[in-house]
Amino acid sequence: MYVGERIEPDYASDSSDEETINVIGNVPLAWYDDHDHIGYDIRGNKIMRPVAGDMLDSFLEQLDSPDAWRTIVNAVEGKKIVLSDEDLDIIKRIQAHRFPQASYNEHEPTVEWFTSKTEIFPLSGAPEPKSRFIPSKVEAAKIIKIARKIQKGYIKLGQKKSDAQMAEETITDVWENEGTAIDHPMHVPAPKMRLPEHRESYNPPVEYIPTPQEKEELRKLDPRDRPAFLPKKYDTFRSIPMYDRLLQERFARCLDLYMCPRSIKQRVRMDPEDLLPKLPSRKDLEPYPTKLSIVFRGHTNRIRALSVDPTGKWIVSGSDDNTVRCWEIATGRCSKVWKFDSKVVSVAWNPNSQVSLVAVVSDTTIHLVYPEVGSDAAEAATEAIFKAPAAVSSSSEWRVQNGGDTACQIEVGQVVSKVSWHRRGDYFLSISSDSSSKSSVQIHQLSKRSSQRPFSKPIGLVQSALFHPSKPNLFVATQQGVRVYDLVQQKLVSKLQPGVQWISSMDIHPQGDNLIIGSYDKKVCWFDLDLSLRPYKTLRYHKSAVRNVSFHRKYPLFASCSDDGSVNVFHGMVYSSLDQNPLIVPLKSIKAHDVSEHLGVLFCEFHPTQPWLFSAGLSGEHHDVHLYV
């Protein structure tokens, strides 16, 4: 026989699960400040004082509990009560001086809810559910949370708050400033109507009534300038007619009421000039070319290229009239003319002042000619170069000419569009317009009279190519991008992305860290090679295609020429500090040449030592080279 545990008869009278209610009556709670309890329940048991934290614990509890803003403390029972939405609604209705229950109808007839007959049976005889006899898991979690806070020191037991702390924690009366409370602090009241003046009276003073002459002058005014109301005197109220602008003014008032903003808008007041970058004055950036000084006239067709010698005394120009002319810069005199079999598309003076040599591109041949304007030592050093033995292998044919103005001819095998020298004057580049050939770019060495192809496969339509002034790098501009190659390691270093449709020209800064390109879609892009692969600045000052761009080798200047007939000169200061970006300032837009057959200025180049600028184009009926100083 199974015998269970003994049932205690007092268990039915256990009140541990009952709600504790303080029955001390109307007794001040301050009497219990020195005790560990706050009162007694209905059975006479002590109601222990709840654990109270400091201000920090209260702050942390407000952060942890999303219902902290709606929690109040019942000081009599020492419990925290979370107000429900119904409680909050009752408080709001009481504040508005309405009935607490939203469903209460004050005009409803009296209904007898309770009968006089007493019921002796309960409404339900179901047994107590099991959940009422099982310890609550929610309470266990709360106890664990309180125990952890005690272990970490957030809750300190046995410490009594001082009078100053009690004064700080005094509960403020929420109804104290009920009359001055603002529901919407950003609310803006509707504009009030203007009060009537003396002139709008039915019996205005005499000085407000206009004379017939004044009425005639007002009638001649524009209706928009004419006042809407004219004062008029009436003897009695009965004789006052209806106001003729009543409907218009009522309608305007309605517009003010429903279209006027009802909230304060924080408007930022800013001067538009503050948004513009602070640029230095152009007078502080002098010198730069501003006016025309010399005109070099003699070509009979379009001038395609210019090049200045390293000393800055001479300049050569190549034209579609199959000639190359050498000019003296100081006087504008033409000292020599070379005649070729086809159009001259590019000329380049050797940058080495110890060698007197000019590279001229005509069809598929590169001509190295003697300008015969250098010193005797330079002439002798140039002739000694072509007397030295040549290299065994070469991708192009070198033909040394004995006698005459041409020192050597280089047969590339395809049409050459441009030639460019290295800074030291021993290597130079030739660019072909054939996009399907791997010989679109060739590197030629003057001292060994040899040529080589740096690329083993076609790289696209090459527009321009340049050597880096101090590093063994090669810049190759294709139709829509610029590639940077390392000639020592023979690999691609980076690809610049200008974001233009068709690149026309390119030039590199003398320090080698900045690059500018011009495009046929009217843009000039400045690249900071240490900053990004995308343009640092994109300049859109031209109205037509940009033909050429050029850096000055000494001054912080660069220029661009376009088919709109203008040459734009810019100040481009590059700082040695890495935390300071280049400064670009537009200086001067020069109307250099006329536009003919949608072609304007075809070439521009700076003087190597002076802040002078050369441009080539059409002037009236002549094809000239202009010098701006």
Side-chain angles (χ1 to χ4, degrees):
M1 180 178 178
Y2 173 76
V3 179
E5 296 179 0
R6 182 180 178 181
I7 299 176
E8 297 292 336
D10 295 335
Y11 179 76
S13 62
D14 188 7
S15 61
S16 59
D17 292 338
E18 293 182 4
E19 184 179 2
T20 58
I21 301 176
N22 199 345
V23 293
I24 61 175
N26 191 14
V27 175
L29 292 177
W31 292 1
Y32 293 87
D33 288 348
D34 298 330
H35 301 278
D36 59 347
H37 61 281
I38 60 175
Y40 302 88
D41 59 4
I42 195 171
R43 297 183 182 275
N45 298 325
K46 291 182 180 181
I47 300 176
M48 304 306 296
R49 186 183 304 276
V51 178
D54 54 4
M55 295 295 291
L56 179 60
D57 296 333
S58 177
F59 174 73
L60 294 176
E61 185 177 359
Q62 290 180 2
L63 295 180
D64 295 339
S65 176
D67 297 329
W69 65 277
R70 59 164 71 187
T71 302
I72 62 176
V73 179
N74 187 351
V76 177
E77 298 182 9
K79 293 183 178 180
K80 293 184 178 180
I81 301 175
V82 179
L83 298 178
S84 62
D85 295 338
E86 291 78 10
D87 299 334
L88 295 176
D89 185 58
I90 291 174
I91 294 174
K92 291 181 180 178
R93 296 180 67 84
I94 292 175
Q95 289 179 343
H97 304 286
R98 293 184 293 174
F99 284 91
Q101 289 79 14
S103 60
Y104 181 79
N105 186 8
E106 58 182 329
H107 305 290
E108 190 178 38
T110 304
V111 178
E112 187 176 0
W113 295 100
F114 303 98
T115 63
S116 58
K117 184 179 179 180
T118 305
E119 299 289 343
I120 61 176
F121 295 102
L123 297 178
S124 175
E128 293 290 333
K130 184 180 179 181
S131 59
R132 296 186 182 179
F133 304 94
I134 299 176
S136 175
K137 295 182 179 180
V138 177
E139 292 179 356
K142 291 181 179 179
I143 293 173
I144 293 174
K145 187 175 182 181
I146 294 174
R148 289 177 179 174
K149 289 185 177 180
I150 294 174
Q151 292 175 358
K152 294 181 179 179
Y154 297 154
I155 299 177
K156 297 181 180 180
L157 303 178
Q159 291 185 359
K160 187 178 179 180
K161 295 183 180 179
S162 61
D163 296 338
Q165 293 177 347
M166 294 294 294
E168 291 179 358
E169 297 180 4
T170 54
I171 300 175
T172 58
D173 186 5
V174 296
W175 294 280
E176 182 179 0
N177 300 323
E178 182 181 1
T180 60
I182 301 176
D183 294 338
H184 306 284
M186 302 297 289
H187 175 72
V188 178
K192 295 182 179 181
M193 293 187 63
R194 182 182 59 85
L195 297 177
E197 301 175 352
H198 293 294
R199 59 191 301 272
E200 299 179 12
S201 172
Y202 79 98
N203 189 14
V206 180
E207 59 268 17
Y208 286 96
I209 300 176
T211 61
Q213 183 179 0
E214 292 175 348
K215 291 182 179 180
E216 184 65 23
E217 293 177 356
L218 293 175
R219 190 183 63 82
K220 294 179 181 179
L221 293 176
D222 189 86
R224 293 174 295 183
D225 301 333
R226 193 182 307 163
F229 177 78
L230 291 178
K232 191 174 182 181
K233 185 175 183 179
Y234 299 95
D235 297 334
T236 61
F237 279 110
R238 183 179 298 179
S239 59
I240 299 175
M242 178 182 176
Y243 183 41
D244 55 350
R245 290 186 53 83
L246 177 64
L247 298 179
Q248 290 86 341
E249 292 187 359
R250 292 296 93 190
F251 180 72
R253 174 61 179 171
C254 293
L255 291 180
D256 291 340
L257 291 178
Y258 76 82
M259 296 187 68
C260 181
R262 291 293 181 268
S263 62
I264 299 176
K265 302 294 183 181
Q266 298 295 338
R267 180 176 297 177
V268 179
R269 299 188 177 274
M270 182 178 295
D271 189 1
E273 295 183 357
D274 296 340
L275 301 176
L276 299 177
K278 302 299 181 182
L279 299 179
S281 174
R282 291 188 299 174
K283 188 173 182 62
D284 299 336
L285 303 179
E286 292 179 351
Y288 57 88
T290 56
K291 58 184 178 180
L292 179 63
S293 176
I294 299 177
V295 176
F296 303 88
R297 181 168 297 173
H299 286 287
T300 58
N301 209 334
R302 292 190 180 94
I303 302 173
R304 296 286 182 178
L306 300 173
S307 184
V308 186
D309 81 309
T311 62
K313 298 179 180 179
W314 306 89
I315 182 174
V316 291
S317 59
S319 172
D320 286 351
D321 59 3
N322 303 349
T323 62
V324 173
R325 292 176 177 266
C326 181
W327 310 85
E328 186 179 8
I329 296 177
T331 61
R333 176 181 60 89
C334 180
S335 63
K336 198 170 184 63
V337 180
W338 295 277
K339 183 71 174 177
F340 297 92
D341 297 334
S342 58
K343 297 179 180 179
V344 178
V345 296
S346 179
V347 293
W349 207 301
N350 192 313
N352 187 3
S353 59
Q354 304 299 324
V355 177
S356 180
L357 205 62
V358 177
V360 180
V361 174
S362 176
D363 199 13
T364 62
T365 306
I366 301 175
H367 303 267
L368 301 179
V369 300
Y370 296 117
E372 298 180 358
V373 293
S375 61
D376 295 338
E379 295 287 346
T382 306
E383 294 178 357
I385 293 175
F386 296 100
K387 294 180 181 179
V392 177
S393 61
S394 177
S395 60
S396 300
E397 181 183 358
W398 289 64
R399 298 193 298 266
V400 178
Q401 306 294 321
N402 296 323
D405 296 333
T406 303
C408 182
Q409 294 180 353
I410 306 172
E411 185 62 36
V412 179
Q414 50 190 343
V415 178
V416 181
S417 60
K418 188 176 180 181
V419 65
S420 174
W421 286 93
H422 188 269
R423 178 179 59 88
R424 296 182 179 179
D426 190 23
Y427 292 91
F428 62 96
L429 293 168
S430 64
I431 304 165
S432 174
S433 58
D434 188 2
S435 61
S436 61
S437 174
K438 61 183 180 180
S439 302
S440 56
V441 177
Q442 292 194 38
I443 300 178
H444 310 277
Q445 186 176 5
L446 183 62
S447 58
K448 297 183 178 180
R449 297 202 299 276
S450 64
S451 304
Q452 56 181 336
R453 303 185 184 96
F455 305 112
S456 59
K457 58 182 180 180
I459 60 174
L461 184 60
V462 178
Q463 299 295 316
S464 180
L466 293 172
F467 287 108
H468 192 281
S470 58
K471 298 179 181 179
N473 291 346
L474 176 64
F475 294 83
V476 180
T478 56
Q479 185 174 347
Q480 294 184 348
V482 179
R483 301 182 181 185
V484 184
Y485 295 92
D486 191 328
L487 297 177
V488 176
Q489 300 181 3
Q490 299 181 2
K491 67 175 184 179
L492 178 64
V493 177
S494 61
K495 290 183 179 180
L496 305 182
Q497 303 172 9
V500 299
Q501 298 296 325
W502 198 307
I503 297 176
S504 61
S505 57
M506 174 177 60
D507 197 11
I508 189 168
H509 193 268
Q511 297 180 6
D513 294 334
N514 293 269
L515 182 78
I516 54 172
I517 66 168
S519 67
Y520 290 117
D521 51 352
K522 315 172 189 178
K523 298 178 183 178
V524 176
C525 300
W526 177 296
F527 283 91
D528 190 340
L529 302 180
D530 296 334
L531 182 64
S532 173
L533 299 179
R534 295 187 178 275
Y536 164 67
K537 290 288 184 181
T538 300
L539 309 176
R540 300 177 177 87
Y541 293 102
H542 288 291
K543 299 179 181 179
S544 297
V546 178
R547 287 288 173 177
N548 191 50
V549 290
S550 177
F551 269 115
H552 199 287
R553 302 306 170 194
K554 181 179 178 182
Y555 292 91
L557 299 172
F558 70 96
S560 62
C561 61
S562 170
D563 283 339
D564 58 4
S566 64
V567 178
N568 291 342
V569 182
F570 300 86
H571 174 85
M573 173 61 74
V574 177
Y575 300 95
S576 58
S577 177
L578 296 178
D579 59 350
Q580 198 167 4
N581 294 328
L583 175 63
I584 301 175
V585 182
L587 295 178
K588 183 74 174 179
S589 181
I590 303 173
K591 183 60 178 176
H593 299 275
D594 299 331
V595 179
S596 175
E597 298 179 1
H598 304 289
L599 296 177
V601 185
L602 300 181
F603 203 88
C604 65
E605 185 169 348
F606 279 102
H607 192 276
T609 58
Q610 299 295 330
W612 299 346
L613 178 65
F614 297 91
S615 65
L618 181 67
S619 299
E621 298 180 354
H622 303 280
H623 299 274
D624 303 332
V625 176
H626 290 178
L627 170 61
Y628 294 90
V629 297

